[in-house]
Amino acid sequence: MRMMRLLSITVSCTATIVALLSTAGAAQQKVPFRGDTPIAPSGIPKIPLLDQPVVYDTAEGQRIRVVVHASGLSHPWSLAFLPGPSTPFGTGPSTPLGTGPSTPLGTGGVTMLVTERDGRLRVIRNGVLDPKAVEGLPTIRRAGLSGLMDVVLHPQFASNNFVYLSYAKPLNEKESATAIARGKWNGTALTDVSDVFVAPAGVGGGARMAFGRDGTLYVTTGGGGGNGPQDPNGLGGKVLRLKDDGTIPSDNPFVGRSGYRPEIFTMGHRSSLGLAVHPGTGEVWQNENGPNGGDEINILRPGANYGWPIVSLGRVYSGPWQSPSAVFYREGFEQPIVYWTPAIAVSGMAFYTGDRLPKWKGDVFVGSLREGEIPGTGHLERILFNEKMEELRRESLLQPLRQRIRDVRQGPDGLLYLLTDEDNGAVLRIEPAQ
């Protein structure tokens, strides 16, 4: 009798477990989709930036004050600091823009160019936004998240006044392509503007730029869906390396190789929104967005392949792993030195080398547009490395502000400046709290 009762209990428990397993999927919430992508929730409500400085304690004991340096921008994308009488530009090829020693400038005493995605270039002088946009820009097409994007100065700007802009160029009524324009800054406007590079039709996405120590210009192109990033005869999903006039350096890794575009420096990228030159080694660092997870920081090696869309540490937006059978490494592909899951929607990136925030010296800063696919969770990430450039720890900063951080740069005054990608975008300044 006892055996029959135990058998009955066992059968009953087994049936219950089977029933639970069979209904587990039904217990999940139904998430609305647009195509193959879940529609994002409303997210965490945004709050307006405060008029007064905000003080934060941080993990390394670096107490900071965050100040709204300027506001009234429409979805700013990038910024570049203009040299002034007290801020000589650079000190030679080994000192990239923004990595030199601190200058005797007063707080906020900097002049910067700021791009707005809608196609305007703005000037901010000592924290005051010039109400008039800079004239002389090429025709720009705002398409999705593309438009006017990066702005960088030539390494010899002090003598040639060259300013470079990456933008979405309309080729006809329907087609656009990533282009790089170069013009001369005369103090108020750009003159003699012309394209030094235009990608083939359909090559778009985020286009970050950075000048290497050797004076060559590195440019990212969007990869998106499909197998384009693995196509050596296409320019989508690549990092390109050009001379300052847009021509191709003879020592590019694929020059003279049949079936390969000679502009390519690296391939296998998805959506690259951060590019910076390491101040010590001169290596070019790049970050890119994975899909749902798998954001990365990579060190670029000539001719290397970074795997997208074959290898990824993220999931497709509908849920499954991007890499078949969840294989995250495959021989022949470079691995990232930093990755994020959940994704933080990485954007601009900078090395901090100044003296004003001494406990952050040597750290890497990366902008975050949102975390875990939740709107209203943008912030700034700080990553600490050891002497071998191996990650030791990371810290999420400014989360209470709930801002999409599009770019981060070190200013000539040794402070950090951030752009918020909002309808009423702002430049934020991080300075030490006394």
Side-chain angles (χ1 to χ4, degrees):
M1 189 70 177
R2 184 179 178 187
M3 182 65 69
M4 291 295 292
R5 188 179 296 114
L6 288 173
L7 180 61
S8 176
I9 293 171
T10 302
V11 171
S12 176
C13 289
T14 302
T16 301
I17 292 170
V18 170
L20 287 171
L21 290 174
S22 66
T23 59
Q28 295 302 116
Q29 297 184 41
K30 291 288 287 184
V31 176
F33 275 68
R34 183 179 293 112
D36 294 329
T37 304
I39 297 174
S42 57
I44 300 174
K46 294 182 180 179
I47 56 176
L49 290 171
L50 298 177
D51 293 333
Q52 300 298 317
V54 181
V55 174
Y56 293 99
D57 291 309
T58 68
E60 308 292 343
Q62 179 66 66
R63 204 157 191 250
I64 60 171
R65 180 168 51 238
V66 181
V67 180
V68 177
H69 181 76
S71 59
L73 296 159
S74 175
H75 295 279
W77 212 94
S78 178
L79 66 91
F81 296 97
L82 291 169
S86 59
T87 55
F89 183 81
T91 56
S94 62
T95 308
L97 175 63
T99 62
S102 300
T103 66
L105 282 172
T107 299
V110 294
T111 300
M112 63 183 73
L113 297 175
V114 179
T115 58
E116 293 178 313
R117 194 172 66 206
D118 286 340
R120 292 176 295 273
L121 181 63
R122 311 297 297 273
V123 183
I124 298 174
R125 298 179 177 89
N126 300 329
V128 178
L129 174 65
D130 191 325
K132 185 179 179 182
V134 172
E135 296 181 351
L137 273 64
T139 301
I140 297 165
R141 174 172 287 164
R142 164 73 184 278
L145 296 178
S146 295
L148 179 58
M149 292 173 282
D150 212 354
V151 54
V152 298
L153 308 186
H154 191 282
Q156 278 76 52
F157 177 84
S159 58
N160 61 27
N161 295 321
F162 281 147
V163 174
Y164 291 74
L165 301 170
S166 64
Y167 72 102
K169 180 182 181 67
L171 302 179
N172 51 48
E173 291 184 0
K174 296 183 178 181
E175 294 181 307
S176 302
T178 294
I180 307 298
R182 182 177 71 177
K184 285 192 172 184
W185 175 249
N186 67 7
T188 58
L190 288 178
T191 63
D192 302 324
V193 176
S194 62
D195 291 327
V196 297
F197 172 79
V198 179
V203 175
R208 282 285 180 190
M209 301 182 290
F211 275 100
R213 281 188 176 179
D214 60 358
T216 58
L217 179 65
Y218 294 82
V219 182
T220 69
T221 63
N227 202 48
Q230 293 298 322
D231 179 7
N233 201 33
L235 295 186
K238 311 296 194 300
V239 175
L240 314 179
R241 180 172 176 260
L242 309 169
K243 291 184 179 181
D244 63 353
D245 61 359
T247 57
I248 300 167
S250 60
D251 59 348
N252 269 8
F254 299 116
V255 167
R257 186 168 175 179
S258 178
Y260 285 74
R261 291 290 298 253
E263 301 95 332
I264 297 173
F265 187 73
T266 59
M267 57 193 297
H269 302 291
R270 185 175 180 269
S271 177
S272 304
L273 296 180
L275 204 60
V277 177
H278 189 283
T281 66
E283 294 170 318
V284 180
W285 287 35
Q286 167 260 6
N287 71 39
E288 65 182 88
N289 286 269
N292 189 355
D295 294 357
E296 303 175 351
I297 296 179
N298 297 299
I299 299 177
L300 301 183
R301 315 289 187 195
N305 191 324
Y306 292 80
W308 180 262
I310 299 170
V311 174
S312 171
L313 291 163
R315 296 177 180 270
V316 298
Y317 290 111
S318 57
W321 289 106
Q322 169 69 29
S323 299
S325 303
V327 175
F328 304 126
Y329 171 74
R330 187 177 295 185
E331 189 174 354
F333 296 125
E334 292 288 321
Q335 294 194 80
I337 61 166
V338 176
Y339 69 92
W340 285 267
T341 296
I344 64 165
V346 293
S347 193
M349 180 169 62
F351 294 91
Y352 184 72
T353 62
D355 299 319
R356 301 288 297 280
L357 302 164
K359 295 185 179 180
W360 287 352
K361 195 161 189 172
D363 294 350
V364 173
F365 289 83
V366 176
S368 162
L369 299 170
R370 68 179 185 183
E371 183 173 4
E373 305 300 315
I374 305 297
T377 55
H379 58 278
L380 181 68
E381 290 265 316
R382 179 186 66 86
I383 304 120
L384 173 69
F385 295 87
N386 63 17
E387 295 83 356
K388 297 179 180 179
M389 300 314 296
E390 298 164 331
E391 180 185 353
L392 297 180
R393 54 182 174 264
R394 66 181 77 172
E395 179 180 13
S396 297
L397 301 163
L398 313 188
Q399 288 176 313
L401 298 181
R402 303 178 190 171
Q403 299 290 305
R404 289 167 53 86
I405 304 301
R406 173 61 70 178
D407 203 6
V408 52
R409 306 278 176 154
Q410 180 182 320
D413 53 5
L415 304 177
L416 283 173
Y417 291 81
L418 319 177
L419 292 181
T420 68
D421 183 4
E422 308 287 351
D423 292 334
N424 181 21
V427 179
L428 305 182
R429 186 177 71 243
I430 297 179
E431 57 191 31
Q434 303 300 328

